[in-house]
Amino acid sequence: MTEDFLQQEKKRVRNPFVPIGALVTAGVLTAGLISFRQGNSQLGQKLMRARVVVQGATVALMVGTAFYYGENPWRSS
């Protein structure tokens, strides 16, 4: 149990931008859905496009740090 926690903490310390990116993605998605519900479809579309960009950047950070720290799941052992 302690080793799992330490391993997760180590990953979080390596790249704090991934959880931040996930939170930003969720925030933009929520704002977009609220604007659609209020009838402002033009703003909602812009927010949905921004969500795609933020989500892509978050995934790129995840892949980039995995390669940087040598956690390549496609590498044969």
Side-chain angles (χ1 to χ4, degrees):
M1 179 78 174
T2 305
E3 289 181 20
D4 291 337
F5 176 75
L6 291 175
Q7 195 172 29
Q8 291 297 326
E9 187 64 27
K10 188 176 178 183
K11 285 183 181 181
R12 210 174 3 259
V13 169
R14 281 190 205 164
N15 193 353
F17 297 116
V18 172
I20 291 170
L23 289 173
V24 170
T25 300
V28 172
L29 174 63
T30 302
L33 291 174
I34 289 170
S35 68
F36 274 129
R37 189 169 178 102
Q38 292 176 345
N40 193 351
S41 61
Q42 197 171 29
L43 177 62
Q45 279 295 330
K46 288 180 182 180
L47 287 168
M48 289 298 123
R49 290 181 186 136
R51 178 199 53 88
V52 171
V53 170
V54 172
Q55 191 171 1
T58 304
V59 170
L61 278 170
M62 289 169 51
V63 172
T65 56
F67 278 110
Y68 181 77
Y69 287 108
E71 297 173 7
N72 185 351
W74 298 282
R75 186 177 1 165
S76 60
S77 299

